[in-house]
Amino acid sequence: MTMLVLASLLFVGMPIGLILCWAALTFIVSSGNTILLDSFALQMFNALNNFGLLAIPLFVLIGELMNGSGITQRLIRLAAVFIGNIRGGLAYVNLLANMMVASILGSATAQIAMMTQVMVPEMEREGYRRDFSTAVTAFGGLLGPIIPPSIVFVVYAVLAQLAVRDMLVAGIIPGLILTSLFLGTIALLGRRYAYPPSKSPSWAERGRAVRGALPMLTIPAIIIGTITGGFGSPTEAAALGAFCAALLGLFVTRTLKLSDMGPILLRTGINSALVLFLVAAAGVFSWVLVFGQVPQTVAAWIQSVATSPVSFMLLVMLVLLLVGTIIDGIPALIMVVPILLPIATDVYGIDPVHFGVVVSVNLILGLLSPPVGIGLYVAANAANISPVSVIKVSLPFFCVTGLALVLLAIFPQLSLALL
């Protein structure tokens, strides 16, 4: 009954947070255990009673401050000076800039929207097709939720009761693998379609770009250095990063004014509240699932199909790819982790950090997968182009992302080596 209500509400387009709460209420009433209603609000509160969740509004604040401080443009110029006179050079610049921005922003949809507006017109002026430029930018946005900081990894860590630091560090190598595969794809496509070579900057231009972007690199250095060096928690690292971004915007780029802080904090609060309400709703939904022994029932079925950890991971990847094409990344994560994580750890002995990386990347890929593919629609809308044309051009990037997922599923060391 609960799953029928869940599917029906998803079909009519109700917000996922309300769906989770309504599905939990339906289960409680249909089971006759109305005494559970007394604990409903408490379970939602307990889901938010986690210090690690403070990192989410702080990471969102960093992104808002970065948008208002001109940091993105300086990072793009820095990426451009590392690319010489090579074919398809501006596409490489696009991807490298996405990687650097990902180390600050941590949100795929925000990154895709911002970078599409910046990079697609520039690439089009240099002779690139708009659909290709949009596809490169959209898949570059996948790096946002993988390379630290990552809101998706923070949410997973809270759901799985893991150290947020471990999840963020586990995303470094997968992020670099994806970047390398994307760079290789651009190289092959550049040869096939004869994309225009980039202009080789002079040494004076390189010096100016490096000097202009060097202060901006203190933000990812502070965030990643604080986390990996053990000097502070991800929440404390995010607070330091936000403080640094504000100082850079006010006193270095001087494009941020004190009068801008009110709207920035308001947008931060609204966007953070949306994510945190999902986490609260997930807490009560997970509680109901465990009470109804749903994980045990699903585990029995999966064990009859998957006979090894690898076959289990491949089966999960197929299921999550379908889920990710319909539901956005964080809501999908919140729905599937309470069911699949106990099976992965208790039945197949899979490390929860390794499982979290594979699940998160899998669902993030769903952002760029039809029919929903919200990331595709964000990029297409920002570039004023049909989503269908972007889907056709992005197929090679989709395939290499799938290859990266298979590698991550088969070789846990790729996720766990830095822990």
Side-chain angles (χ1 to χ4, degrees), residues 46-111:
N46 287 337
L48 296 176
N49 190 21
N50 189 302
F51 178 73
L53 286 175
L54 283 175
I56 291 177
L58 290 169
F59 285 146
V60 174
L61 177 59
I62 291 174
E64 292 288 345
L65 290 169
M66 189 184 77
N67 287 342
S69 301
I71 293 175
T72 305
Q73 288 74 16
R74 296 194 180 205
L75 292 176
I76 290 172
R77 286 196 292 270
L78 178 64
V81 302
F82 287 107
I83 304 297
N85 187 22
I86 60 175
R87 188 169 299 281
L90 200 54
Y92 291 101
V93 171
N94 188 341
L95 197 61
L96 290 176
N98 263 297
M99 185 179 70
M100 288 190 284
V101 172
S103 66
I104 302 173
L105 202 54
S107 169
T109 50
Q111 183 167 331

Side-chain angles (χ1 to χ4, degrees), residues 104-121:
I104 302 173
L105 202 54
S107 169
T109 50
Q111 183 167 331
I112 290 170
M114 180 179 64
M115 294 298 290
T116 300
Q117 294 174 351
V118 174
M119 290 303 304
V120 171

Side-chain angles (χ1 to χ4, degrees), residues 120-131:
V120 171
E122 183 65 27
M123 291 182 68
E124 199 171 13
R125 279 194 293 271
E126 294 294 327
Y128 293 83
R129 287 169 43 187
R130 182 179 295 188
D131 53 0

Side-chain angles (χ1 to χ4, degrees), residues 205-222:
E205 291 173 328
R206 289 172 177 165
R208 285 194 296 270
V210 171
R211 286 193 301 271
L214 203 56
M216 313 305 141
L217 295 179
T218 57
I219 302 176
I222 287 173

Side-chain angles (χ1 to χ4, degrees), residues 354-401:
H354 170 224
F355 184 72
V357 171
V358 174
V359 168
S360 299
V361 176
N362 212 146
L363 291 174
I364 292 164
L365 180 59
L367 287 172
L368 299 175
S369 305
V372 176
I374 186 171
L376 281 175
Y377 290 96
V378 168
N381 182 66
N384 195 23
I385 189 175
S386 167
V388 176
S389 61
V390 179
I391 292 171
K392 293 178 181 177
V393 177
S394 62
L395 187 59
F397 296 98
F398 188 91
C399 292
V400 297
T401 306

Side-chain angles (χ1 to χ4, degrees), residues 23 41 49 55 65 73 95 107 146 161 251 268 287 305 331 351 373 386:
N49 190 21
L65 290 169
Q73 288 74 16
L95 197 61
S107 169
I146 301 172
Q161 299 182 352
F251 302 112
T268 299
W287 169 61
V305 178
D351 188 281
S386 167

Side-chain angles (χ1 to χ4, degrees), residues 325-342:
T325 62
I326 302 171
I327 307 173
D328 197 6
I330 291 178
L333 190 75
I334 287 170
M335 291 178 62
V336 301
V337 167
I339 298 174
L340 295 178
L341 180 61

Side-chain angles (χ1 to χ4, degrees), residues 8-76:
S8 301
L9 295 177
L10 278 172
F11 182 76
V12 299
M14 180 181 284
I16 189 67
L18 296 177
I19 290 175
L20 294 175
C21 291
W22 192 257
L25 284 171
T26 302
F27 173 83
I28 292 172
V29 173
S30 62
S31 65
N33 294 305
T34 53
I35 190 67
L36 297 177
L37 292 174
D38 295 339
S39 302
F40 194 92
L42 180 62
Q43 292 297 327
M44 295 187 74
F45 173 80
N46 287 337
L48 296 176
N49 190 21
N50 189 302
F51 178 73
L53 286 175
L54 283 175
I56 291 177
L58 290 169
F59 285 146
V60 174
L61 177 59
I62 291 174
E64 292 288 345
L65 290 169
M66 189 184 77
N67 287 342
S69 301
I71 293 175
T72 305
Q73 288 74 16
R74 296 194 180 205
L75 292 176
I76 290 172

